[in-house]
Amino acid sequence: MGHGLLRDPPGAANTPANKEPPPPPTLRMTPLIIATLNTRGYRMALHRSQVLSYLQEGGYSVVFLQETHTDPTAEDSWRLEWGDGVYFNHFTIRQAGVVTLFSPNLWPEVQGVTEAVPGHLLHLRVRMEGLVVNFVNIYAPTTSPKRPQFYQRVSDFLGTLHSHECLVLGGDFNTTLEEQDCSGAELSPAAANILREIVEHHSLVDVWHDHHPDDTSTFTFVRVEAHRSHYSWLDRIYLSHFHLSRAYSSNIQPAPFSDHLLATITASLHAERPGLAYWHFNNSLLEDEGFVMSFQELWLAW
């Protein structure tokens, strides 16, 4: 007798030869946790190390950072502390700058990187587990007169993306859309109107507000001056409505070393319930004369 390395498992002799083995257990996919945070500058090495360590301990998959104050000389230090999944859109060491981080445990296939607006808009088109996702990290200007022009550029850029692909738009918008989202009046109503058009045109949904429709007391930025507090809902994550069911939780929490709060959503790359899905027609095709003519001919022939 040997050591029994090829021995049948207990009960195998009583199993009919034509009986199929049980299916393998269903594997639960690791959730994708997306976060956004205004960092208030990363010029100091200690500040950078503290925030990156905090984010690593949080286990976030994709992180949008704004107001990073980076230039090309800082890239090696960032990658040394975080890993290779760091993508920059620099401005100056004293202003703006956005950075998108991918967890070292995440291996996305990055298909395109676009620095659409220097220091303010960074786009990454990635494929993960068969799903194409457009991650758009934005930092709107703090100066009110500059915001309408910025949001017009955002609108123009988003119009170049494929409408059927998943869109995640996050960051510090420095603009509110609803009266209850700030303690005072919106300082740039023109910018708010353009942003509102962007949200409607691309069927975007503020995930936190969708999950917490009755919460009117949570804000991501609070400033106290002259014995008076000012609060606003500036930091948020939008998800295209067609993919909204992928997001099953959202959270707002204090973040060290910043006067902004950290906003997160937790999502699945795969549908929660496999099966039939509704067909979503791309309305922009109605403006394509070639498509309209082809469809008319097809309809008449049918």
Side-chain angles (χ1 to χ4, degrees), residues 49-136:
S49 298
Q50 289 173 329
V51 176
L52 291 181
S53 296
Y54 168 77
L55 295 173
Q56 288 170 339
E57 293 173 0
Y60 304 108
S61 311
V62 183
V63 184
F64 294 163
L65 299 177
Q66 304 85 40
E67 205 175 349
T68 53
H69 298 180
T70 59
D71 65 6
T73 63
E75 294 186 7
D76 290 341
S77 297
W78 279 69
R79 293 193 172 100
L80 180 64
E81 296 180 33
W82 180 268
D84 292 332
V86 186
Y87 297 86
F88 301 88
N89 186 352
H90 304 296
F91 200 67
T92 73
I93 61 172
R94 297 184 183 277
Q95 282 185 298
V98 292
V99 173
T100 298
L101 307 173
F102 288 106
S103 166
N105 298 323
L106 194 68
W107 297 91
E109 176 190 345
V110 180
Q111 299 182 335
V113 180
T114 308
E115 299 174 15
V117 181
H120 289 274
L121 193 159
L122 176 63
H123 163 248
L124 288 99
R125 184 177 187 267
V126 306
R127 180 182 294 273
M128 295 183 293
E129 300 181 21
L131 178 68
V132 176
V133 184
N134 290 284
F135 289 108
V136 180

XYZ file of all heavy atoms in Angstrom, residues 49-136:
707
model
N 3.364 61.568 3.348
C 3.512 60.226 3.923
C 2.356 59.887 4.851
O 1.844 58.760 4.841
C 4.839 60.125 4.693
O 5.943 60.330 3.833
N 1.914 60.865 5.636
C 0.813 60.616 6.570
C -0.481 60.298 5.832
O -1.200 59.354 6.178
C 0.630 61.830 7.479
C 1.750 62.013 8.491
C 1.623 63.322 9.258
O 1.110 64.328 8.736
N 2.088 63.332 10.493
N -0.788 61.085 4.791
C -2.034 60.874 4.070
C -1.991 59.576 3.274
O -2.968 58.812 3.250
C -2.348 62.064 3.151
C -3.593 61.796 2.319
C -2.545 63.324 3.980
N -0.885 59.271 2.615
C -0.786 58.028 1.851
C -0.884 56.810 2.765
O -1.518 55.810 2.416
C 0.509 58.000 1.041
C 0.600 58.997 -0.115
C 1.921 58.853 -0.854
C -0.565 58.828 -1.076
N -0.270 56.891 3.940
C -0.380 55.788 4.901
C -1.828 55.607 5.352
O -2.321 54.473 5.468
C 0.515 56.047 6.112
O 1.879 56.070 5.737
N -2.507 56.720 5.589
C -3.916 56.662 5.986
C -4.758 56.003 4.904
O -5.627 55.160 5.183
C -4.407 58.077 6.274
C -5.900 58.212 6.414
C -6.556 57.817 7.570
C -6.669 58.746 5.369
C -7.936 57.954 7.700
C -8.036 58.881 5.498
C -8.665 58.478 6.655
O -10.025 58.596 6.781
N -4.509 56.354 3.652
C -5.277 55.783 2.543
C -4.954 54.306 2.346
O -5.841 53.499 2.044
C -4.996 56.569 1.259
C -5.474 58.031 1.254
C -4.978 58.748 0.009
C -6.996 58.109 1.342
N -3.695 53.937 2.530
C -3.328 52.526 2.393
C -3.994 51.680 3.469
O -4.492 50.585 3.201
C -1.805 52.385 2.457
C -1.096 52.893 1.211
C 0.410 52.969 1.384
O 0.925 53.011 2.509
N 1.138 53.005 0.278
N -4.030 52.192 4.683
C -4.669 51.456 5.773
C -6.174 51.344 5.562
O -6.803 50.383 6.021
C -4.368 52.139 7.110
C -2.897 52.079 7.516
C -2.604 52.903 8.747
O -3.565 53.528 9.288
O -1.439 52.958 9.178
N -6.763 52.312 4.844
C -8.196 52.277 4.595
C -8.614 51.263 3.561
O -9.812 50.974 3.427
N -7.658 50.721 2.800
C -7.972 49.699 1.819
C -8.750 50.198 0.616
O -9.511 49.448 0.007
N -8.556 51.466 0.232
C -9.302 52.022 -0.890
C -8.727 51.529 -2.220
O -7.515 51.391 -2.383
C -9.274 53.548 -0.828
C -9.807 54.081 0.475
C -8.958 54.646 1.428
C -11.162 53.967 0.780
C -9.444 55.106 2.643
C -11.659 54.425 1.994
C -10.794 54.989 2.918
O -11.274 55.426 4.132
N -9.609 51.278 -3.166
C -9.194 50.733 -4.456
C -8.756 51.829 -5.419
O -7.726 51.721 -6.085
C -10.342 49.931 -5.083
O -10.908 49.023 -4.172
N -9.573 52.879 -5.524
C -9.301 54.013 -6.410
C -9.510 55.284 -5.598
O -10.538 55.431 -4.936
C -10.232 54.022 -7.642
C -9.862 55.164 -8.576
C -10.180 52.679 -8.375
N -8.535 56.188 -5.640
C -8.623 57.416 -4.845
C -8.405 58.617 -5.757
O -7.408 58.689 -6.481
C -7.585 57.435 -3.709
C -7.774 58.684 -2.852
C -7.683 56.177 -2.856
N -9.358 59.559 -5.701
C -9.216 60.847 -6.372
C -8.709 61.855 -5.339
O -9.351 62.072 -4.308
C -10.558 61.348 -6.907
C -11.161 60.513 -8.004
C -12.504 60.643 -8.319
C -10.398 59.611 -8.724
C -13.068 59.889 -9.339
C -10.950 58.844 -9.739
C -12.296 58.988 -10.051
N -7.584 62.482 -5.612
C -7.041 63.505 -4.728
C -7.005 64.833 -5.472
O -6.692 64.881 -6.661
C -5.630 63.148 -4.267
C -5.474 61.845 -3.474
C -4.010 61.598 -3.145
C -6.309 61.878 -2.204
N -7.332 65.919 -4.740
C -7.302 67.255 -5.337
C -6.442 68.179 -4.485
O -6.198 67.928 -3.324
C -8.720 67.841 -5.449
C -9.704 66.985 -6.221
C -10.353 65.927 -5.354
O -10.700 66.192 -4.202
N -10.515 64.708 -5.879
N -6.017 69.266 -5.121
C -5.163 70.273 -4.476
C -3.900 69.604 -3.938
O -3.523 69.774 -2.778
C -5.921 70.998 -3.360
C -5.374 72.384 -3.083
C -6.185 73.165 -2.071
O -7.304 72.732 -1.718
O -5.690 74.211 -1.632
N -3.236 68.864 -4.821
C -2.052 68.099 -4.418
C -0.764 68.908 -4.494
O 0.252 68.505 -3.928
C -1.906 66.856 -5.305
O -1.938 67.251 -6.687
C -3.047 65.881 -5.049
N -0.761 70.028 -5.240
C 0.409 70.915 -5.328
C 1.657 70.132 -5.757
O 2.705 70.218 -5.103
C 0.662 71.605 -3.992
C -0.453 72.491 -3.543
N -0.408 73.213 -2.351
C -1.651 72.781 -4.101
C -1.537 73.893 -2.217
N -2.313 73.644 -3.268
N 1.533 69.400 -6.837
C 2.667 68.589 -7.301
C 3.270 69.158 -8.574
O 2.624 69.893 -9.323
C 2.219 67.142 -7.585
O 1.184 67.163 -8.585
C 1.702 66.470 -6.335
N 4.507 68.789 -8.810
C 5.161 69.023 -10.089
C 5.941 67.759 -10.433
O 6.004 66.828 -9.624
C 6.054 70.271 -10.036
C 7.238 70.126 -9.077
O 7.440 69.020 -8.533
O 7.960 71.116 -8.879
N 6.523 67.650 -11.620
C 7.171 66.396 -12.025
C 8.264 65.919 -11.084
O 8.540 64.705 -11.024
C 7.741 66.737 -13.412
C 6.802 67.785 -13.947
C 6.429 68.613 -12.751
N 8.886 66.807 -10.328
C 9.967 66.379 -9.444
C 9.463 65.530 -8.276
O 10.261 64.860 -7.612
C 10.717 67.601 -8.880
O 9.816 68.382 -8.074
C 11.264 68.462 -10.009
N 8.159 65.556 -8.018
C 7.611 64.810 -6.878
C 7.183 63.388 -7.243
O 6.867 62.601 -6.348
C 6.406 65.560 -6.310
N 7.178 63.049 -8.517
C 6.597 61.778 -8.939
C 7.317 60.570 -8.345
O 6.685 59.595 -7.921
C 6.570 61.698 -10.463
C 5.631 62.710 -11.095
C 5.505 62.518 -12.595
O 6.049 61.512 -13.120
O 4.863 63.366 -13.266
N 8.639 60.589 -8.314
C 9.394 59.439 -7.787
C 9.073 59.190 -6.316
O 8.937 58.037 -5.889
C 10.900 59.661 -7.967
C 11.328 59.579 -9.424
O 10.558 59.013 -10.233
O 12.421 60.084 -9.750
N 8.937 60.256 -5.534
C 8.634 60.104 -4.106
C 7.250 59.483 -3.919
O 7.056 58.615 -3.059
C 8.702 61.467 -3.409
O 10.003 62.014 -3.481
N 6.296 59.915 -4.715
C 4.956 59.350 -4.618
C 4.964 57.855 -4.926
O 4.380 57.052 -4.196
C 4.018 60.065 -5.605
C 3.495 61.376 -5.130
C 4.184 62.534 -4.949
C 2.135 61.660 -4.772
N 3.347 63.530 -4.520
C 2.086 63.029 -4.405
C 0.971 60.909 -4.752
C 0.906 63.643 -3.998
C -0.223 61.526 -4.358
C -0.238 62.875 -3.981
N 5.619 57.480 -6.009
C 5.628 56.067 -6.419
C 6.426 55.222 -5.441
O 6.125 54.043 -5.253
C 6.183 55.938 -7.831
C 5.261 56.572 -8.883
C 5.642 56.183 -10.296
N 4.629 56.658 -11.232
C 4.753 57.759 -11.966
N 5.852 58.501 -11.863
N 3.788 58.130 -12.787
N 7.422 55.803 -4.817
C 8.184 55.063 -3.824
C 7.314 54.739 -2.614
O 7.399 53.645 -2.045
C 9.414 55.879 -3.391
C 10.329 55.226 -2.341
C 10.955 53.952 -2.914
C 11.426 56.199 -1.909
N 6.433 55.659 -2.236
C 5.607 55.467 -1.046
C 4.301 54.735 -1.339
O 3.760 54.065 -0.455
C 5.310 56.828 -0.400
C 6.550 57.533 0.111
C 6.226 58.886 0.741
O 5.142 59.006 1.321
O 7.063 59.802 0.645
N 3.785 54.848 -2.562
C 2.494 54.230 -2.878
C 2.622 53.005 -3.773
O 2.018 51.971 -3.537
C 1.574 55.259 -3.549
C 0.227 54.701 -3.897
C -0.152 54.125 -5.087
C -0.916 54.624 -3.041
N -1.456 53.707 -5.035
C -1.958 54.003 -3.773
C -1.184 55.024 -1.734
C -3.235 53.770 -3.248
C -2.454 54.806 -1.197
C -3.447 54.180 -1.950
N 3.406 53.117 -4.823
C 3.521 52.060 -5.821
C 3.396 52.662 -7.209
O 3.425 53.884 -7.395
N 3.245 51.795 -8.209
C 3.229 52.269 -9.594
C 1.897 52.877 -10.014
O 1.835 53.605 -10.991
C 3.564 51.109 -10.547
C 5.008 50.657 -10.400
O 5.852 51.495 -10.027
O 5.281 49.472 -10.640
N 0.822 52.592 -9.296
C -0.502 53.036 -9.728
C -0.800 54.471 -9.361
O -1.820 54.752 -8.713
N 0.049 55.405 -9.783
C -0.128 56.824 -9.478
C -0.142 57.603 -10.791
O 0.772 57.467 -11.609
C 0.996 57.371 -8.576
C 0.708 58.803 -8.158
C 1.200 56.489 -7.360
N -1.174 58.432 -10.983
C -1.311 59.210 -12.212
C -1.528 60.670 -11.850
O -2.382 60.993 -11.028
C -2.466 58.665 -13.062
C -2.218 57.244 -13.512
C -2.575 56.178 -12.695
C -1.581 56.984 -14.720
C -2.321 54.865 -13.086
C -1.328 55.675 -15.122
C -1.700 54.625 -14.300
O -1.441 53.331 -14.690
N -0.737 61.543 -12.483
C -0.686 62.947 -12.099
C -1.268 63.862 -13.173
O -1.199 63.568 -14.370
C 0.761 63.386 -11.861
C 1.486 62.632 -10.797
C 2.175 61.458 -11.085
C 1.501 63.093 -9.494
C 2.857 60.766 -10.108
C 2.195 62.418 -8.498
C 2.860 61.242 -8.808
N -1.790 64.997 -12.714
C -2.055 66.147 -13.569
C -1.565 67.351 -12.769
O -2.264 67.860 -11.890
C -3.539 66.264 -13.911
C -3.810 67.370 -14.927
O -2.919 68.145 -15.272
N -5.041 67.453 -15.398
N -0.333 67.776 -13.056
C 0.329 68.815 -12.262
C -0.180 70.205 -12.609
O -0.748 70.449 -13.669
C 1.838 68.786 -12.506
C 2.488 67.471 -12.242
N 2.529 66.892 -10.993
C 3.134 66.602 -13.073
C 3.171 65.733 -11.058
N 3.548 65.540 -12.306
N 0.068 71.127 -11.676
C -0.138 72.545 -11.934
C 1.077 73.281 -11.414
O 2.041 73.443 -12.129
C -1.444 73.032 -11.301
C -1.942 74.312 -11.911
C -2.377 74.335 -13.219
C -1.978 75.494 -11.180
C -2.831 75.509 -13.810
C -2.440 76.676 -11.751
C -2.864 76.689 -13.061
N 1.066 73.723 -10.145
C 2.251 74.303 -9.533
C 2.376 73.736 -8.120
O 1.465 73.084 -7.610
C 2.175 75.845 -9.441
O 1.243 76.211 -8.408
C 1.734 76.449 -10.770
N 3.513 74.003 -7.479
C 3.720 73.495 -6.124
C 2.933 74.293 -5.092
O 2.989 73.988 -3.896
C 5.217 73.509 -5.749
C 5.776 74.936 -5.792
C 6.004 72.592 -6.662
C 7.196 75.059 -5.258
N 2.185 75.286 -5.549
C 1.387 76.095 -4.616
C -0.087 76.135 -4.990
O -0.904 76.671 -4.241
C 1.928 77.533 -4.559
C 3.338 77.634 -4.028
C 3.792 79.072 -3.898
N 5.181 79.147 -3.438
C 5.547 79.068 -2.167
N 4.618 78.923 -1.222
N 6.813 79.135 -1.821
N -0.440 75.555 -6.128
C -1.826 75.631 -6.577
C -2.274 74.335 -7.244
O -1.472 73.655 -7.904
C -2.009 76.777 -7.584
C -2.087 78.152 -6.982
C -2.398 79.172 -8.062
O -1.639 79.372 -9.000
N -3.536 79.820 -7.938
N -3.559 74.034 -7.046
C -4.274 72.995 -7.793
C -3.512 71.669 -7.822
O -2.826 71.299 -6.871
C -4.581 73.494 -9.198
N -3.670 70.935 -8.900
C -3.082 69.602 -9.037
C -4.043 68.513 -8.612
O -4.703 68.624 -7.570
N -4.177 67.476 -9.431
C -4.991 66.319 -9.086
C -4.185 65.052 -9.331
O -3.347 64.994 -10.240
C -6.315 66.268 -9.889
C -7.239 67.386 -9.483
C -6.056 66.306 -11.388
N -4.445 64.059 -8.497
C -3.756 62.770 -8.587
C -4.793 61.667 -8.428
O -5.681 61.765 -7.566
C -2.669 62.632 -7.502
C -2.078 61.226 -7.508
C -1.567 63.666 -7.707
N -4.691 60.627 -9.242
C -5.540 59.445 -9.098
C -4.669 58.262 -8.737
O -3.648 58.012 -9.392
C -6.316 59.161 -10.397
O -7.181 60.274 -10.679
C -7.159 57.902 -10.256
N -5.060 57.564 -7.683
C -4.307 56.423 -7.177
C -5.083 55.132 -7.400
O -6.292 55.090 -7.177
C -4.045 56.572 -5.671
C -3.386 57.860 -5.171
C -3.369 57.879 -3.650
C -1.967 57.980 -5.717
N -4.381 54.086 -7.813
C -4.938 52.746 -7.851
C -4.210 51.899 -6.816
O -2.980 51.921 -6.736
C -4.774 52.112 -9.235
C -5.671 52.701 -10.282
C -5.160 53.539 -11.263
C -7.030 52.428 -10.286
C -5.979 54.088 -12.230
C -7.863 52.967 -11.246
C -7.338 53.805 -12.213
N -4.970 51.159 -6.042
C -4.384 50.323 -5.009
C -3.357 49.370 -5.612
O -3.558 48.848 -6.716
C -5.487 49.521 -4.304
O -4.930 48.478 -3.526
N -2.250 49.109 -4.897
C -1.282 48.119 -5.382
C -1.893 46.730 -5.558
O -1.334 45.904 -6.278
C -0.213 48.130 -4.279
C -0.323 49.477 -3.645
C -1.790 49.804 -3.685
N -3.031 46.477 -4.902
C -3.700 45.186 -5.041
C -4.642 45.141 -6.238
O -5.257 44.104 -6.503
C -4.492 44.870 -3.771
C -3.601 44.760 -2.547
O -2.486 44.250 -2.636
N -4.068 45.257 -1.412
N -4.769 46.267 -6.939
C -5.654 46.349 -8.095
C -4.787 46.412 -9.346
O -3.786 47.125 -9.383
C -6.520 47.610 -7.985
C -7.727 47.729 -8.894
C -8.788 46.702 -8.515
C -8.321 49.138 -8.789
N -5.184 45.645 -10.354
C -4.385 45.600 -11.577
C -5.250 46.001 -12.775
O -5.624 45.176 -13.598
C -3.804 44.203 -11.791
C -2.855 43.809 -10.708
C -3.141 43.149 -9.556
C -1.450 44.078 -10.656
N -2.024 42.981 -8.781
C -0.963 43.540 -9.434
C -0.562 44.716 -11.514
C 0.375 43.621 -9.070
C 0.771 44.792 -11.145
C 1.225 44.248 -9.937
N -5.590 47.281 -12.899
C -6.416 47.699 -14.032
C -5.598 47.769 -15.314
O -4.391 48.043 -15.293
C -6.895 49.087 -13.615
C -5.776 49.610 -12.760
C -5.224 48.411 -12.031
N -6.256 47.541 -16.417
C -5.631 47.725 -17.726
C -5.912 49.160 -18.161
O -7.007 49.481 -18.602
C -6.209 46.732 -18.736
C -5.687 46.910 -20.142
C -6.445 46.090 -21.162
O -7.182 45.163 -20.752
O -6.319 46.384 -22.372
N -4.924 50.015 -17.998
C -5.093 51.432 -18.323
C -4.970 51.605 -19.828
O -3.919 51.357 -20.412
C -4.059 52.297 -17.581
C -4.239 53.770 -17.937
C -4.183 52.101 -16.070
N -6.053 52.057 -20.446
C -6.096 52.186 -21.897
C -5.911 53.619 -22.375
O -5.719 53.851 -23.563
C -7.423 51.632 -22.423
C -7.626 50.152 -22.108
C -8.921 49.613 -22.668
O -9.880 50.364 -22.881
N -8.970 48.312 -22.892
N -5.983 54.567 -21.466
C -5.789 55.956 -21.866
C -5.722 56.879 -20.669
O -6.424 56.669 -19.677
N -4.865 57.891 -20.756
C -4.731 58.904 -19.708
C -4.782 60.274 -20.381
O -4.039 60.530 -21.326
C -3.408 58.751 -18.931
C -3.302 59.817 -17.847
C -3.282 57.357 -18.336
N -5.672 61.143 -19.898
C -5.831 62.467 -20.502
C -5.800 63.536 -19.428
O -6.602 63.505 -18.493
C -7.167 62.579 -21.269
O -7.287 61.482 -22.172
C -7.228 63.887 -22.044
N -4.867 64.485 -19.558
C -4.823 65.644 -18.669
C -5.628 66.751 -19.357
O -5.084 67.659 -19.960
C -3.378 66.056 -18.423
C -2.546 64.955 -17.759
C -1.078 65.308 -17.639
O -0.741 66.503 -17.795
O -0.271 64.392 -17.420
N -6.948 66.637 -19.250
C -7.844 67.463 -20.060
C -7.762 68.943 -19.714
O -7.833 69.793 -20.610
C -9.280 66.964 -19.918
N -7.655 69.269 -18.432
C -7.481 70.653 -17.990
C -6.303 70.654 -17.025
O -6.365 69.993 -15.979
C -8.746 71.200 -17.288
C -8.526 72.649 -16.856
C -9.966 71.093 -18.197
N -5.213 71.346 -17.344
C -4.016 71.290 -16.504
C -4.315 71.567 -15.035
O -4.883 72.602 -14.679
C -3.111 72.376 -17.104
C -3.537 72.461 -18.527
C -5.015 72.216 -18.519
N -3.947 70.598 -14.180
C -4.099 70.757 -12.749
C -5.506 70.629 -12.217
O -5.723 70.727 -11.006
N -6.487 70.359 -13.118
C -7.880 70.392 -12.673
C -8.732 69.225 -13.161
O -9.783 68.969 -12.583
C -8.546 71.701 -13.118
C -8.071 72.908 -12.377
N -8.615 73.323 -11.175
C -7.073 73.782 -12.663
C -7.988 74.416 -10.758
N -7.051 74.715 -11.645
N -8.343 68.545 -14.212
C -9.160 67.432 -14.720
C -8.250 66.341 -15.260
O -7.473 66.566 -16.192
C -10.116 67.900 -15.812
C -11.245 66.934 -16.215
C -12.385 67.692 -16.889
C -10.761 65.831 -17.146
N -8.356 65.172 -14.653
C -7.560 64.016 -15.054
C -8.501 62.863 -15.368
O -9.339 62.485 -14.545
C -6.593 63.615 -13.934
C -5.749 62.355 -14.169
C -4.822 62.551 -15.368
C -4.939 62.014 -12.921
N -8.364 62.289 -16.562
C -9.217 61.199 -17.010
C -8.388 59.943 -17.256
O -7.321 60.008 -17.866
C -9.935 61.585 -18.313
C -10.513 60.420 -19.052
N -10.018 59.993 -20.272
C -11.526 59.567 -18.739
C -10.714 58.945 -20.687
N -11.623 58.661 -19.785
N -8.879 58.821 -16.738
C -8.267 57.525 -17.014
C -9.347 56.577 -17.523
O -10.392 56.416 -16.877
C -7.606 56.925 -15.771
C -6.320 57.610 -15.327
C -6.585 58.579 -14.196
C -5.285 56.579 -14.896
N -9.087 55.979 -18.654
C -9.977 54.942 -19.204
C -9.325 53.602 -18.923
O -8.208 53.334 -19.380
C -10.184 55.134 -20.700
C -11.173 54.138 -21.331
C -11.368 54.465 -22.816
N -12.423 53.652 -23.401
C -12.208 52.486 -24.033
N -10.974 52.000 -24.135
N -13.216 51.804 -24.545
N -9.997 52.774 -18.146
C -9.407 51.504 -17.727
C -10.392 50.366 -17.968
O -11.610 50.569 -18.028
C -8.999 51.533 -16.236
C -8.098 52.716 -15.934
C -10.229 51.563 -15.338
N -9.844 49.187 -18.094
C -10.654 47.973 -18.183
C -10.316 47.104 -16.977
O -9.149 46.826 -16.709
C -10.370 47.211 -19.474
C -11.198 45.913 -19.628
C -10.844 45.184 -20.907
N -11.233 45.948 -22.066
C -12.441 45.891 -22.616
N -13.375 45.086 -22.085
N -12.725 46.603 -23.683
N -11.358 46.708 -16.250
C -11.183 45.852 -15.080
C -12.211 44.733 -15.132
O -13.425 45.007 -15.134
C -11.342 46.666 -13.778
C -10.280 47.728 -13.581
S -10.439 48.605 -11.995
C -11.979 49.467 -12.259
N -11.722 43.509 -15.215
C -12.581 42.336 -15.229
C -13.662 42.444 -16.302
O -14.827 42.105 -16.079
C -13.193 42.111 -13.849
C -12.136 41.898 -12.771
C -12.745 41.660 -11.405
O -13.923 41.272 -11.340
O -12.034 41.855 -10.407
N -13.265 42.958 -17.465
C -14.164 43.023 -18.599
C -15.003 44.279 -18.676
O -15.669 44.518 -19.683
N -14.987 45.115 -17.637
C -15.782 46.341 -17.623
C -14.880 47.545 -17.911
O -13.837 47.713 -17.286
C -16.462 46.517 -16.266
C -17.300 47.785 -16.083
C -18.544 47.722 -16.972
C -17.702 47.968 -14.625
N -15.296 48.378 -18.869
C -14.564 49.608 -19.171
C -15.135 50.732 -18.313
O -16.343 50.970 -18.297
C -14.670 49.967 -20.662
C -13.988 51.309 -20.940
C -14.030 48.881 -21.518
N -14.249 51.410 -17.589
C -14.662 52.485 -16.693
C -13.858 53.740 -17.023
O -12.638 53.686 -17.192
C -14.443 52.112 -15.210
C -14.977 53.209 -14.312
C -15.090 50.776 -14.880
N -14.559 54.869 -17.121
C -13.909 56.164 -17.288
C -13.886 56.861 -15.928
O -14.931 57.298 -15.432
C -14.669 57.013 -18.302
C -14.538 56.479 -19.711
O -13.499 56.644 -20.357
N -15.574 55.819 -20.208
N -12.704 56.945 -15.328
C -12.535 57.636 -14.057
C -12.135 59.083 -14.347
O -11.092 59.339 -14.947
C -11.449 56.967 -13.209
C -11.839 55.627 -12.661
C -11.275 54.468 -13.180
C -12.762 55.512 -11.633
C -11.622 53.231 -12.678
C -13.121 54.270 -11.123
C -12.552 53.126 -11.647
N -12.964 60.028 -13.913
C -12.704 61.448 -14.160
C -12.589 62.155 -12.815
O -13.555 62.252 -12.057
C -13.815 62.082 -15.013
C -13.507 63.562 -15.252
C -13.952 61.349 -16.346
